[in-house]
Amino acid sequence: MVVMVTGGARSGKSTFAERYAAHLGKRGIYVATSPVFDEELTQRVAIHQARRKNSSFPWETIEEQYDLAEKLQELAKRPDVLAGETVLLVDCLILWLSNWLVRDERQPDQARLLQKITELQQVISSFPGTLLLVTNEVGYGIVPEYALGRMFRDTAGMMNQRVAEVSEQVFLVTAGIPMEIKSKAFPFV
């Protein structure tokens, strides 16, 4: 089962996804995509880690900033994942996309980003276990002033649509409240 969890910044997406993972499996693998490059991010990561450490649900953390599709393919072969005992939680797709964009910042290539998204979408759509994907909604704000910002916003929107398309459930989290906007009972939505 593939579940997408989206919402604005600081909306409670990660907390909800972690709680939902604990409901769906016996243990979790937390795939972190964020690079840690300053003190503020170090503190955010520490808060996330402490929350997982202090929960009764056992977590294993794996960091993967770029090769997410390949990492998911590798993890999909684990017996505990295949048996449905271990839930994978990727946090966050937007940061993963940002990593690629910043990597190519001098010559951004939307076609390359879309290819990476296609590869990820293919892996997600055939994932044999339970997979939760956290992402941000970035299109609610103003139109970015710079071309790179507009490319990021547009590509992020396309990515979220494609991931939602292959997800059995999609939740929108607002003010810490999850709302199911695509149900496994109604997959045609």
Side-chain angles (χ1 to χ4, degrees):
M1 175 168 73
V2 178
V3 179
M4 180 176 147
V5 179
T6 189
R10 312 304 286 169
S11 64
K13 302 177 303 292
S14 296
T15 301
F16 168 72
E18 290 169 17
R19 289 180 182 159
Y20 197 37
H23 173 74
L24 297 173
K26 295 180 180 177
R27 64 190 151 279
I29 299 174
Y30 189 97
V31 182
T33 63
S34 178
V36 179
F37 50 80
D38 63 23
E39 184 59 33
E40 189 267 339
L41 270 174
T42 301
Q43 291 173 3
R44 281 182 186 238
V45 168
I47 290 167
H48 278 244
Q49 290 172 336
R51 185 176 60 229
R52 290 193 307 275
K53 183 179 179 186
N54 293 329
S55 77
S56 60
F57 188 69
W59 286 102
E60 172 186 348
T61 300
I62 296 173
E63 295 180 17
E64 184 53 63
Q65 296 175 11
Y66 295 100
D67 298 323
L68 187 55
E70 294 83 354
K71 181 56 72 178
L72 292 178
Q73 284 178 314
E74 174 188 320
L75 293 169
K77 296 174 186 172
R78 286 180 42 162
D80 56 329
V81 172
L82 289 169
E85 297 170 0
T86 300
V87 175
L88 268 69
L89 190 161
V90 176
D91 194 0
C92 141
L93 294 181
I94 288 296
L95 290 172
W96 170 78
L97 182 65
S98 297
N99 295 342
W100 278 105
L101 189 64
V102 171
R103 187 181 210 178
D104 297 337
E105 185 176 7
R106 294 181 196 261
Q107 291 185 325
D109 183 355
Q110 190 176 38
R112 180 176 173 187
L113 293 175
L114 292 173
Q115 179 58 39
K116 290 291 178 187
I117 293 166
T118 297
E119 292 167 8
L120 183 62
Q121 183 185 20
Q122 290 169 347
V123 170
I124 291 168
S125 67
S126 63
F127 194 80
T130 303
L131 177 62
L132 280 81
L133 303 157
V134 176
T135 188
N136 285 59
E137 285 300 318
V138 298
Y140 289 151
I142 61 171
V143 176
E145 183 177 349
Y146 300 99
L148 186 64
R150 290 188 299 275
M151 179 192 293
F152 171 72
R153 182 213 46 199
D154 294 349
T155 307
M158 287 183 259
M159 176 184 69
N160 286 345
Q161 288 182 51
R162 291 168 74 178
V163 170
E165 180 183 320
V166 296
S167 296
E168 293 173 69
Q169 278 185 302
V170 178
F171 290 91
L172 173 65
V173 181
T174 302
I177 301 168
M179 297 169 283
E180 188 175 21
I181 57 175
K182 181 179 180 183
S183 171
K184 55 186 173 177
F186 302 102
F188 54 85
V189 176

